[in-house]
Amino acid sequence: MDINRDDVKWVYPELANEPLVELLRRFKEYVLSDDAPEWQQLIAAAGFVNEVVRLLKWSEYRTLEDRYEEINVMSCDEIRDELMSAVNYHLEVPFEEKLNSMWRDWEFNDTGKYAKFDTIDEMNNFMCDCLEIEYSNLLELEKKYFRIDEE
């Protein structure tokens, strides 16, 4: 089976969700001053969460039919994955060509440079280490805020 080299990549544009990333960047707009009553901050925080949920790619997930309509649903893990994917894609885009080239080199063993990685997990960990050079503590922050190790 011939594989199209262009289809082999580590950075997938399908994971992009720039409206969501832009909203996440504006998080501070939803944080009211320390003088604001707690009830106002609760409304602002809930409004932010509402906007985040609204910007997820619901149509790409399974559909359930209730009595009156079809609705798209996601599990908690799928919501977390959707958020992580959007943020990670945004962080990876500046290095897309380099990362995809490294992944292709490993997949097709072009140079033998990555031959020491026997499994996808090993290469994936190496790629994550490369991103850590650009974004120090990236994985630790994701583990902490996305609660990855709590599963």
Side-chain angles (χ1 to χ4, degrees):
M1 176 172 96
D2 287 331
I3 299 173
N4 182 346
R5 289 182 67 86
D6 293 336
D7 293 337
V8 176
K9 52 185 128 183
W10 201 65
V11 180
Y12 286 91
E14 301 88 320
L15 301 177
N17 188 336
E18 282 305 311
L20 176 60
V21 170
E22 285 305 313
L23 175 67
L24 295 172
R25 282 183 164 150
R26 296 189 346 255
F27 171 75
K28 289 183 180 181
E29 293 175 18
Y30 290 83
V31 178
L32 303 179
S33 74
D34 290 339
D35 297 336
E38 182 183 74
W39 67 269
Q40 290 179 359
Q41 189 60 63
L42 288 172
I43 291 171
F48 177 77
V49 171
N50 179 64
E51 286 300 303
V52 166
V53 169
R54 189 179 65 75
L55 290 173
L56 297 176
K57 297 177 185 176
W58 292 96
S59 63
E60 295 180 13
Y61 291 85
R62 64 191 164 282
T63 303
L64 291 180
E65 293 184 28
D66 71 6
R67 284 184 161 166
Y68 307 106
E69 64 183 331
E70 290 184 349
I71 55 175
N72 294 94
V73 296
M74 279 191 240
S75 69
C76 185
D77 287 345
E78 289 168 331
I79 290 171
R80 182 209 51 219
D81 291 349
E82 181 88 15
L83 289 165
M84 280 182 60
S85 293
V87 171
N88 284 342
Y89 176 80
H90 181 77
L91 296 175
E92 294 164 356
V93 162
F95 312 102
E96 179 176 14
E97 189 174 316
K98 180 181 178 183
L99 293 169
N100 286 341
S101 175
M102 291 166 61
W103 194 260
R104 285 184 192 110
D105 188 344
W106 174 74
E107 180 75 28
F108 297 106
N109 199 22
D110 292 336
T111 65
K113 186 175 181 179
Y114 307 104
K116 64 184 172 190
F117 303 114
D118 295 325
T119 66
I120 289 175
D121 283 344
E122 289 175 1
M123 185 60 181
N124 197 41
N125 288 337
F126 172 75
M127 299 290 281
C128 289
D129 290 345
C130 292
L131 277 177
E132 284 259 331
I133 293 168
E134 300 297 329
Y135 305 107
S136 62
N137 291 334
L138 173 66
L139 298 177
E140 286 303 313
L141 286 171
E142 287 187 344
K143 286 178 182 179
K144 176 180 178 178
Y145 289 110
F146 288 109
R147 299 178 185 221
I148 294 171
D149 290 336
E150 294 181 14
E151 298 171 351

